[in-house]
């Protein structure tokens, strides 16, 4: 009998890649995990360390290898490249990381023509677009982690402020994973009740319009604060990546704000950015054409134009 083995390859075994590998191993979602890094010895060390926990988790085969390890991969997750220094924006990384992607993507495609590529490295929207163009894969099979992490930060902060379970807060950050991202307040809700209706009748006494504004600023500046404090962010993104990979491998049709190629939406086309999308075994099945308020439309267009400006500067 042929068994279905789910194989995930991780390229780039730094803070993010190794935390994701550990989280994925614990989750039991993948049957096979392959670790690749330009520093082969480092990947080998991570592989040994993870395998020594094998007796505590569901069966999973973890190996380190060169790009030939991408053969038969279901998903290739790319977390390779430079990360932000305390005084840098994500966009500052574009030239360095685009060059790394020009090197990596053809090597992945050589061995994994049918895989789904999931980009994490920053600036994630630009590198998702770069991966799409270089790979020649259809748009559904190239996605970025986008604002899945930002939306989780957003839901957590709203839940803390409003004293409700974060799983019952439904709220999205869309657009760039970066400085031009925006909150979709018009649809943000707690248990189906939009915040504009929920806040005035909630028992806590707060200046909710001011508080919500502060929450979004906190979301937008989270990465800067964490990098300032400890040099990198990796735990929450590790969990976010497992959530995306799980939605793909288990064909869940989950709604996640991943970075995907957007066309013909509020006059925006040919750019990758985040919008809630249906994620399943085919990758991004479709993005949801949310009805945005006038101000959200303007901010979303600004975010898309900013990203397109950066794309125009890169030589593909
Ligand atoms: P890191 O410096 O700890 O790790 C980067 C790894 O990439 C290193 O192990 C390095 O050897 C490897 N690498 C570099 N060039 C390579 C190449 N050509 N081929 C293979 N491997 C290569 O960085 P990190 O903290 O793990 O962050 C990785 C990336 O993820 C950064 O770009 C960071 O900004 C991004 N990031 C994204 C999110 C998100 O939400 N999308 C969150 C956190 C970090």
């Amino acid at each position: 009998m042929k068994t279905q083995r789910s194989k995930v390859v991780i390229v780039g075994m730094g803070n993010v890649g190794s935390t994701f590998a550990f989280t994925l191993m614990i989750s039991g979602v993948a049957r096979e995990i392959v670790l690749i890094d330009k520093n082969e010895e480092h990947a080998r060390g991570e592989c040994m360390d993870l395998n020594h926990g094998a007796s505590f988790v569901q069966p999973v085969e973890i190996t380190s290898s060169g790009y030939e390890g991408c053969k038969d991969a279901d998903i290739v997750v790319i977390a390779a490249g430079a990360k932000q220094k305390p005084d840098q924006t994500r966009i500052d990384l574009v030239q360095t990381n685009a060059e790394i992607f020009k090197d990596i993507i053809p090597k992945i495609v050589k061995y994994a023509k049918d895989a789904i590529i999931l980009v994490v490295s920053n600036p994630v929207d630009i590198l998702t677009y770069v991966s799409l163009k270089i790979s020649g894969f259809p748009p559904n099979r190239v996605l970025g982690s986008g604002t899945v992490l930002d939306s989780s930060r957003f839901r957590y902060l709203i839940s803390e402020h409003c004293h409700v379970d974060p799983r019952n807060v439904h709220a999205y950050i869309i657009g760039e994973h970066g400085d031009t991202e925006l909150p979709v307040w018009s649809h943000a809700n707690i248990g189906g009740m939009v915040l504009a209706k929920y806040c005035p009748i909630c028992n806590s006494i707060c200046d909710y319009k001011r508080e919500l504004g502060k929450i979004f600023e906190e979301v937008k500046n989270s990465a800067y604060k964490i990098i300032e404090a400890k040099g990198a962010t990796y735990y929450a993104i590790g969990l976010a990546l497992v959530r995306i990979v799980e939605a793909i491998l288990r064909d869940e049709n989950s709604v996640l704000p991943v970075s995907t190629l957007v066309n013909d939406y509020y006059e925006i086309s040919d750019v990758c950015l985040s919008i809630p999308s249906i994620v399943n075994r085919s990758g991004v099945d479709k993005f949801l054409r949310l009805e945005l308020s006038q101000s959200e439309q303007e901010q979303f267009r600004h975010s898309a134009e900013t990203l397109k400006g950066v794309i125009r500067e890169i030589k593909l």
Side-chain angles (χ1 to χ4, degrees), residues 51-99:
N51 273 325
H52 295 171
S55 63
F56 305 117
V57 297
Q58 292 176 52
V60 54
E61 188 185 312
I62 306 176
T63 52
S64 65
S65 85
Y67 283 88
E68 68 283 1
C70 292
K71 190 169 179 295
D72 297 329
D74 294 293
I75 307 174
V76 180
V77 180
I78 312 178
K83 63 171 184 279
Q84 283 168 270
K85 298 196 178 74
D87 54 349
Q88 280 185 314
T89 69
R90 295 175 178 96
I91 294 291
D92 289 335
L93 305 171
V94 73
Q95 217 47 59
T96 314
N97 285 350
E99 289 305 321

Side-chain angles (χ1 to χ4, degrees), residues 28-155:
V29 167
R31 187 65 185 78
E32 211 177 326
I33 305 173
V34 178
L35 317 177
I36 299 177
D37 197 284
K38 73 166 186 200
N39 181 342
E40 291 176 17
E41 196 180 352
H42 180 77
R44 254 197 310 279
E46 293 288 4
C47 181
M48 284 172 72
D49 196 5
L50 290 167
N51 273 325
H52 295 171
S55 63
F56 305 117
V57 297
Q58 292 176 52
V60 54
E61 188 185 312
I62 306 176
T63 52
S64 65
S65 85
Y67 283 88
E68 68 283 1
C70 292
K71 190 169 179 295
D72 297 329
D74 294 293
I75 307 174
V76 180
V77 180
I78 312 178
K83 63 171 184 279
Q84 283 168 270
K85 298 196 178 74
D87 54 349
Q88 280 185 314
T89 69
R90 295 175 178 96
I91 294 291
D92 289 335
L93 305 171
V94 73
Q95 217 47 59
T96 314
N97 285 350
E99 289 305 321
I100 290 175
F101 272 55
K102 282 190 210 170
D103 175 50
I104 288 177
I105 299 292
K107 292 177 182 164
I108 295 171
V109 171
K110 180 176 174 197
Y111 293 102
K113 286 190 177 51
D114 300 321
I116 288 170
I117 295 178
L118 171 55
V119 178
V120 197
S121 311
N122 279 316
V124 68
D125 303 291
I126 304 292
L127 295 176
T128 302
Y129 187 85
V130 166
S131 303
L132 180 66
K133 293 294 160 187
I134 299 178
S135 67
F137 282 8
N140 61 299
R141 284 205 282 121
V142 182
L143 66 156
S145 58
T147 55
V148 175
L149 171 60
D150 316 60
S151 298
S152 174
R153 287 173 172 151
F154 192 41
R155 292 171 70 187

Side-chain angles (χ1 to χ4, degrees), residues 187-253:
H187 292 278
N189 72 80
I190 291 177
M193 201 166 178
V194 289
L195 290 186
K197 298 261 191 240
Y198 183 91
C199 291
I201 57 150
C202 158
N203 286 336
S204 339
I205 304 191
C206 80
D207 177 353
Y208 66 89
K209 285 193 178 139
R210 209 171 129 254
E211 292 301 324
L212 295 180
K214 272 166 53 186
I215 285 176
F216 171 59
E217 284 306 310
E218 177 74 23
V219 169
K220 203 165 62 164
N221 295 322
S222 291
Y224 292 115
K225 285 192 178 168
I226 298 169
I227 290 166
E228 186 72 43
K230 61 171 223 170
T233 72
Y234 37 89
Y235 293 122
I237 184 64
L239 285 162
L241 292 171
V242 170
R243 183 67 201 94
I244 300 168
V245 163
E246 187 179 45
I248 295 170
L249 292 176
R250 290 158 44 104
D251 198 21
E252 288 181 352
N253 290 316

Side-chain angles (χ1 to χ4, degrees), residues 268-286:
I268 294 161
S269 283
D270 197 32
V271 63
C272 291
L273 77 177
S274 288
I275 186 86
S277 303
I278 308 277
V279 179
N280 62 22
R281 194 63 192 80
S282 68
V284 180
D285 189 49
K286 59 172 176 252

